[in-house]
Amino acid sequence: MAVRSTAWMRFRLRLEEWKESFLLTLRPWAGKIGWALLIIQLVLALYALAAYYPQGMRHYQAGFDWFYKYPVHVPPCWAVKKKAQPVRLSLQNVKPVVKTKTMNISYGNIRYVFKYYTLSYNKSFIYKGDALPSDSAMLLGLTIPGGKKILQAKIHIDLLRPDGTDFVFLDQTIPVSQYGNKSVITIRIGGATFNKTLIIHGRPVQVPVKMPYPISKYPIVATGPLSLGQIAQTLGKSMEKVFGTNPFKTDRPVPAGQALFAEVTPNGTVVPLKGRYTFRLSLMYLINETAMTPAQAREIESRGSLNFYFIAYPNCYGLAGTDTLARPVGLGLLLGLPYAFLLGFLVTFTSTFIGAIYGSFAGYWKDIRGEVMMRIADIFLSLPFLPILIVISYVYKVTMLSLAGLMILLFWAGPVIVVRSMALQISEQVYVEAAKAVGAKTSRIVFRHVFPQVFPYTLAIAVLSIPGIIVAEASLSLLGLGDPTAPTWGKLLQLAYDEHAVQNGWWWMYIFPGLALVIFSATFLLIGRAVEPLVAPKLQR
Amino acid sequence: MRWLVIKIVDFVIVLAAVTLIVAIIFTGPMSTFYKSQALQTVQMEMRAQSHQLTVAQNTIIGIAKGTVSPQDAADLINKLYQQGLLTKEERDKLLSGKVTVEEAQKIATALPKRLRAILTQQEFHAYGLDKPWYERSLKYFWNLLTFKPLNSTVLTTRYWPTQGSHNALDIVLERVPFSVLLFTTSSTLTVLIAVPLALWAARRPGSWIDNTVVAWSIFSVSMPWWWLAMVFIAFFTVKYHIFPQPWNVNVNFHDIKTLIDAAALPVFTVTILSIGDSAFRLRNIFLDIFNEDFVTVARAKGLPENMVLRKHVMRAAAPPLVTIVLFAIVLSVFSGAIITELVFNWPGLGRLYWEAIYAGDIPVVLELTYITTLLYLILRLTLDILYTLLDPRIKRA
Amino acid sequence: MPELGEKVLDVRDLRVWFPVRRGLIETITGKARLYVRAVDGVSFDIRRRETFCFVGESGCGKTTTGKALLRLVPITGGSALFRPSKEVAEELEKRGVTLGEDGMVDIFKLNEKQFHPVRRDIQMVYQDPFGSLNPRFRVRDILEEPLIVHKIGETKSERLEMVSRALEMVKLTPVSEFIDRYPHQLSGGQRQRVAIARAIIMNPVLVVADEPVSMLDVSIRAEILEVFNLLKERLGLSFIYITHDLSTARYVCDRIAVMYLGKIVEIGEADDVIQEPLHPYTEALVAAIPEPDPRNRLKFRDIKIKGEVPSPVNIPPGCRFHPRCILYEEALKRGEEWAKLCTQAEPPLVEIKKGHYAACFRHEAVRAAVTAKAAGES
């Protein structure tokens, strides 16, 4: 007689059992919250992987263009009452007003025709923010067609403020390359000071200290003939006229990037100056007209030679602010999630799996083999975990996977003692003896009879030990020892610790990563505690 | 008696194995790393001495060519000899002035090589790298097991009256008072608070106090201690100046008031955190006992609740309670939390770990690990023996 | 009584001694190692289609004897000649074992690897139907396990076929209803049927049933015993039936061996043993059978036994039953000569009537055997 029992039916049966036990874990409040949190975090982690893997993740750790896009260490927006108005201004579509002036000069019997071209670009905006912007940046990409025909070039940039005062950024002659090279000038004004070695495209770059920070669309640190110190000097002088102090020289009562929009009230407080601001940029060329083709002359007149952006950064960003590398902390939290899952799951499940199999054998063999196995496990349990992890990752550069391997090597003995005492009880059961009587080999008895009984409980142990793994990784990262390319939460905390976020009051830099860590760990503790009573063995006291 | 001997043999085996593994891990991989560091130092030293080296080379060649008289150069030659850069014959030859130009050139070109060799030897000796690592690990292993003093390579005592001692045991022991002040105080506080709290929670499972204990246990286990330390520092010292800011305080045992001021916040933080776990575990123990039949019987026969608690519950809870309390308090003497102490700028054993690893002071790392492991194993052994003697249910097999 | 076939098992002088752990100091001082003599020189034989019973108090070594046949306990000494089935005999020859002329092989002399195929032929049914089935296995998994272990049945469907046949054999029908159930979804009787099905699925020669009905409800016992009888008829099995309950033994067994402290004190046809016991211990056991007739409830019953079973570590000298033997006491009081033998020599098992052996000095034949032996030795 053939028995009707398809694989599908059996699968349905299994599914029913799983569903039943899952619903049981939902009964306590811990289980409800835990599962809900897990689902939310899983969805977020999957989204992070889909949207940012792998370039986005690497970029978060090693990218350099965050300064261009985001403000530096600003708090989250919900924590800021008075908000600044972000300004993004470009001269891309502004038609220049061109003025020319021709000069004829005779030098001996040679006659020269010189021409002054003046290209003026003006653009206005209205600042209505209740607070000063956190910082301002200016990007000037100036391409001057070089060669012997251009004798001199000059640039003038200033900002006309609502109260009629005028901040001059630049009023400089630009040396012109004789060989037709282009000159790119990039400038950032403001209070963002930085002292850190960054890895850019695999090379360490020492970023200057207490200097207006240069940024660029290109991975080039300010090139060109203009020294940044000159900008600071020019702007400082004109600011000194308005405020009475030079923000570049003093101990920065107001960072220069904020000072552009600042007004000092009679009682000494600094408030934003609201109203119409106008950027004025003019380029002046002195050209040897006689040596120039008409096409070249047109190129100078065309505005393709100039890229100018001005950005006033908001004084808050998103739900979690930004850190000292101008990276959004919220994005960091999102990107850290897959890594937390990877490390936590990989390490705990692998090590408890190994420990469970090991413990099953140690419990099944009641002779000297079991004893020796227990001594070995005991030795591993007595090893000092964190110092060994620190030493090894201090000497060798670890990756996420090698770190996981190392942790598995250190943590596999965790469940052995409990599993062994369970296995001792199980191998006393009559059905184990029945299997032995039938002739089943040790491996079959352990894997088919002992291990499946132990397994649910080891799953609970694994889930409960996830927090320890995550915290250990964060601790390593805080010492600067984890995988340097992985944007884990520990890395965010390390930045906060290294940049003295506690002393400086940048609370969002360490509160949020820590909270993410706590919530992630708590999720598994909640689930584990809901599951544990269902699978916990009744060990004799 | 057999069980006792077995337990003691076990103890020795585990202690020896852990010490050996740690000695191998800490000497093996570390040595390549510190070797490269030592070679860098040698390179820098060579650069610093390059000028003197050139002078010496010129003088030697000058003697051979006759431009420098051996009498004028005698001081320099003797100094080079003392440094080990010249052999005796070479010195005698140079001092007598009877030296050919070829010979002098040979000596001059050999000088940098000899200097590098000498510096490397010195540097390796300072880090203890002049023997192969396995030999060193075995030596460390044996010295640790036999309690022979280890000499530190970099760190010295800083807080003891006898400053500058290179004995690794001294370096470890001088940090113990700091650890005791921080961890033993907070363990004691934890026990004092957690036991009544757990009893309270266990008597009314599901009440708000019980839920609070459970919730806080989850949070305290899932957060890194040093993170809460950062938050507390920001709140209690930066925002409100209730405690001194850790980075402004230099703790030592001469200034007791500053010391206690500085210890207040760490003790507070560690206590708050360790209460979570202890209270939860104790609550579970109590809860199990409350559900036992003998408690139900005691209540059913009309014993007053106080009596039930004292006579039945506490007596049954005593063994695990004693374990937890003993482990917490005794182990706290030699415990350190590496990063928590870094964050609190607290010179305990945890920070010593990091300092020693950072400085490459292998003997101190080993001594520290050995002492903590030893204490932990001794405590475990003692409790094991006590239980076997006291508990009638455990078979002495 | 069914017709008995050839011998399938011939056990001679089986001994199972468990060493007692010595203390360290005792080891150093060289104190002699002590043993728990669970089975101490047991000899019997079993024929095809026979049900052979072991009866005795708990701790007398009857279960250990059963387990020793499956080599589940370390065997100290003795031999067990076993007649394997055809397939197993082939398998054994492949493993370099030559059978004796009569087709028997001493299974205690095989190594573990050689013994493995023999496990097909000797199966066991346990007392506890709740413990002997893995709670995580479905019925099909439980029954499939021996097949997988012994690589019987090429495909899964083939094995399934055998599983359903075995289930039908133990009357767990309809098979499709039971095959996917877990043990906890079955009643005690159904579980024991599953356990029996596991034992017979490989067509064994001998099944050791260790008190298979003692943990079942009284109402189900008869059914299970009926299954045993049926299997015996249909498959030609031999059973070793271990029980402490003489009343069921009477209905199931062909022959009964009464064990006391690791030794057989009496063997014989079931009816003979129960109706005319030759050993005082058997007499005591028979007297302890509860009487179903309520009129006899107040009748004084003469229990010819006193005291408790002594520890198997310190077995009394001479006849191991004598400290509890009322017969011996009375004989001593009467001053009978043979009573002295009880403390001096171990009574051998001697055939008193045809096919009925006993080991008690009250029988002349036993005394004669001892004195003959003593004479032979001197």
Side-chain angles (χ1 to χ4, degrees), chain A residues 375 378-379 384 387 391 394-396 474-475 478-479 493 497 503 510-511 514-515 518 521-522 525-526 529 541, chain B residues 10 17-18 21 26 29-30 33 217-219 222-223 226-227 234 247 280 288 292 339 342 353 357-358 369 380:
Chain A
R375 286 296 86 71
D378 221 12
I379 289 163
V391 165
Y394 184 61
V395 174
Y396 303 110
S475 305
L478 196 87
L479 298 174
L493 288 166
Y497 182 67
Q503 285 96 317
Y510 54 89
I511 294 272
L515 269 184
V518 171
S521 305
L525 280 180
L526 288 167
R529 290 213 180 143
R541 292 243 182 84
Chain B
D10 271 6
V18 168
I21 290 173
F26 287 167
M30 295 275 276
F33 182 72
S217 78
I218 285 172
F219 279 111
S222 51
M223 71 177 61
W226 43 266
W227 177 69
W247 48 87
F280 180 70
D288 278 357
E292 293 270 1
I339 300 169
L342 268 180
Y353 243 128
I357 291 171
Y358 199 77
T369 315
R380 218 176 62 172

Side-chain angles (χ1 to χ4, degrees), chain A residues 58-59 61-65 198-205 216-221:
Chain A
R58 227 172 293 147
H59 182 240
Q61 267 313 95
F64 194 44
D65 50 353
L198 293 174
I199 307 292
I200 301 160
H201 288 256
R203 275 177 298 125
V205 174
S216 167
K217 273 209 288 191
Y218 319 102
I220 311 165
V221 181

Side-chain angles (χ1 to χ4, degrees), chain A residues 251-327:
Chain A
D251 212 8
R252 287 194 292 129
V254 182
Q258 296 184 356
L260 294 178
F261 298 91
E263 181 187 31
V264 183
T265 56
N267 54 17
T269 52
V270 179
V271 292
L273 179 64
K274 297 180 187 177
R276 177 178 289 273
Y277 289 77
T278 310
F279 258 101
R280 298 189 298 198
L281 188 150
S282 54
L283 286 171
M284 242 179 324
Y285 297 105
L286 177 59
I287 289 169
N288 186 349
E289 184 85 315
T290 35
M292 201 158 213
T293 60
Q296 282 170 335
R298 237 174 286 127
E299 195 189 336
I300 289 164
E301 283 177 49
S302 76
R303 53 189 174 70
S305 58
L306 176 79
N307 266 319
F308 180 85
Y309 295 96
F310 176 80
I311 302 162
Y313 291 105
N315 63 344
C316 66
Y317 179 81
L319 287 173
T322 60
D323 60 18
T324 48
L325 294 172
R327 304 178 305 187

Side-chain angles (χ1 to χ4, degrees), chain B residues 1-57:
Chain B
M1 282 314 282
R2 186 190 156 90
W3 59 272
L4 187 62
V5 176
I6 287 178
K7 277 186 177 137
I8 291 170
V9 170
D10 271 6
F11 163 81
V12 175
I13 288 173
V14 172
L15 180 68
V18 168
T19 315
L20 186 63
I21 290 173
V22 167
I24 287 171
I25 289 178
F26 287 167
T27 36
M30 295 275 276
S31 61
T32 45
F33 182 72
Y34 290 116
K35 244 174 211 163
S36 69
Q37 274 206 347
L39 289 178
Q40 270 178 20
T41 324
V42 169
Q43 195 66 37
M44 274 162 62
E45 196 63 19
M46 287 289 289
R47 224 172 286 152
Q49 296 197 15
S50 66
H51 177 66
Q52 286 146 308
L53 210 58
T54 324
V55 170
Q57 284 171 332

Side-chain angles (χ1 to χ4, degrees), chain A residues 230-250:
Chain A
Q230 280 174 339
I231 300 161
Q233 249 178 30
T234 320
L235 191 60
K237 256 183 218 160
S238 59
M239 283 187 170
E240 203 168 359
K241 275 183 215 155
V242 179
F243 300 122
T245 51
N246 183 344
F248 289 98
K249 277 189 180 155
T250 57

